């Protein structure tokens, strides 16, 4: 049969001396097994999909075969089989890892078993796609998004200390803004407690620039046109543009000046 077999042959002669039991001889013959199946490999640990936070990891299991296991390797490293069992230490790289166990029997047949595990020994990576850093807005709120990735799984995300909605690796949060600069700090925490962070700053500006016309004074009588219009302008977030009677006028260190043509009679100058 397809197994180790012992054949016992007893040879008898005539009656033994003194009426004793007839003598006999036993021959034990082991059948040479001719089979084509590789060893049966069972990986007991780690279980598929295991997330571990350190390396190396212990790999253990069994390898059995009717003709006997002559060699076994874990990720290419020869590993002894003792009473059908094996144990090995395997170094992991961050992220997904495939552990491969191969075994060979006395007939040269081989078999293979694999298991996938994840090494999560790094903090989550946080990417803020919205809002852009340095955004200037008049809005009362801003939507903070978007991804927090990890070799294992991201357990939670907070925006300025408040929990954000997390769907898969994406998050979103509607943040209220105050007048002026608003720092936005995002913290992602994975299952092992490691944290990754990212920050941007948004400025809310709802106040118009402060404008002061120095010359000419209101209702000033001017003899010869044009007249010099000058003054100052300030704003907490900076002045983007300034016009005098519709003409673009540069602002230098908060000051501006322009020559404005006049017509006879009353003239209105708009800055």
């Amino acid at each position: 049969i397809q197994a180790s077999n012992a054949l016992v042959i007893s040879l008898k002669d005539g009656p033994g001396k003194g009426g004793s039991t007839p003598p006999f001889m036993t021959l034990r013959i082991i059948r040479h097994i001719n089979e084509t199946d590789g060893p049966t490999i069972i990986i007991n640990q780690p279980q598929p999909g295991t997330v571990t936070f350190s390396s190396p990891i212990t790999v253990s299991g069994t390898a059995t075969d009717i003709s006997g296991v002559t060699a076994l390797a874990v990720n290419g490293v020869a590993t002894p089989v003792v009473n059908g069992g094996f144990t090995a230490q395997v170094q992991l790289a961050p992220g997904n890892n495939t552990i491969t166990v191969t075994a060979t029997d006395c007939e040269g047949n081989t078999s293979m078993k694999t298991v996938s595990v994840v090494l999560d020994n790094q903090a989550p990576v946080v990417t803020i796609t919205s809002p852009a850093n340095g955004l200037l807005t008049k809005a009362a709120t801003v939507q903070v998004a978007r991804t927090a990735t990890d070799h294992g799984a991201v357990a939670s995300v907070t925006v300025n200390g408040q929990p954000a909605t997390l769907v898969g690796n994406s998050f979103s949060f509607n943040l209220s803004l105050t007048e002026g600069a608003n720092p936005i700090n995002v913290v992602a925490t994975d299952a092992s407690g490691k944290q990754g962070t990212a920050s941007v700053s948004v400025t809310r500006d709802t106040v118009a620039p402060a404008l002061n016309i120095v010359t000419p004074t209101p209702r000033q009588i001017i003899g010869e046109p044009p007249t010099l219009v000058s003054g100052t302008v300030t704003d907490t977030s900076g002045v983007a543009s300034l016009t005098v009677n519709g003409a673009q006028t540069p602002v230098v260190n908060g000051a501006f000046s322009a020559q404005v043509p006049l017509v006879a009679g009353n003239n209105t100058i708009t800055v």
Side-chain angles (χ1 to χ4, degrees):
I1 62 174
Q2 187 83 344
S4 296
N5 295 268
L7 175 64
V8 179
I9 301 176
S10 296
L11 302 177
K12 297 182 179 180
D13 59 4
K17 295 180 179 181
S20 62
T21 302
F24 63 89
M25 177 178 62
T26 299
L27 298 178
R28 185 175 296 274
I29 301 173
I30 305 299
R31 177 193 172 199
H32 177 72
I33 301 169
N34 184 18
E35 49 98 12
T36 58
D37 296 328
T40 299
I41 302 172
I42 298 175
I43 300 176
N44 294 325
Q45 70 174 76
Q47 292 297 304
T50 293
V51 177
T52 182
F53 307 119
S54 62
S55 177
I57 192 172
T58 299
V59 180
S60 65
T62 60
T64 57
D65 191 87
I66 58 176
S67 67
V69 177
T70 58
L72 182 138
V74 179
N75 277 10
V77 178
T79 303
V81 179
V82 180
N83 297 325
F86 66 89
T87 300
Q89 296 292 312
V90 175
Q91 293 288 343
L92 302 177
N96 293 320
N97 291 259
T98 298
I99 298 171
T100 303
V101 179
T102 58
T104 305
D105 65 15
C106 293
E107 292 294 319
N109 303 308
T110 61
S111 57
M112 180 178 70
K113 196 86 168 183
T114 62
V115 62
S116 294
V117 299
V118 176
L119 173 61
D120 181 11
N121 61 351
Q122 297 177 352
V125 177
V126 181
T127 303
I128 300 175
T129 56
S130 174
N133 189 36
L135 174 69
L136 181 63
T137 180
K138 294 188 293 184
T141 63
V142 68
Q143 191 75 13
V144 183
R146 129 120 173 212
T147 60
T149 57
D150 189 71
H151 290 307
V154 176
S156 65
V157 173
T158 61
V159 178
N160 285 5
Q162 302 177 64
T165 301
L166 182 63
V167 179
N169 287 332
S170 298
F171 67 89
S172 63
F173 186 84
N174 199 39
L175 180 68
S176 297
L177 301 177
T178 59
E179 190 73 18
N182 290 261
I184 301 174
N185 300 306
V186 178
V187 178
T189 305
D190 68 11
S192 66
K194 297 186 296 296
Q195 293 184 329
T197 63
S199 300
V200 295
S201 181
V202 171
T203 299
R204 185 186 184 206
D205 183 6
T206 60
V207 180
L211 184 62
N212 179 40
I213 299 175
V214 178
T215 62
T217 59
R219 299 185 180 277
Q220 180 178 339
I221 298 175
I222 298 172
E224 294 290 335
T227 186
L228 177 67
V229 179
S230 65
T232 59
V233 59
T234 57
D235 191 86
T236 56
S237 61
V239 177
S241 66
L242 182 140
T243 61
V244 178
N245 276 11
Q248 287 289 339
T249 303
V251 177
V252 180
N253 296 326
F256 66 91
S257 63
Q259 294 289 335
V260 176
L262 301 175
V263 296
N266 291 325
N267 289 262
T268 300
I269 299 173
T270 303
V271 179

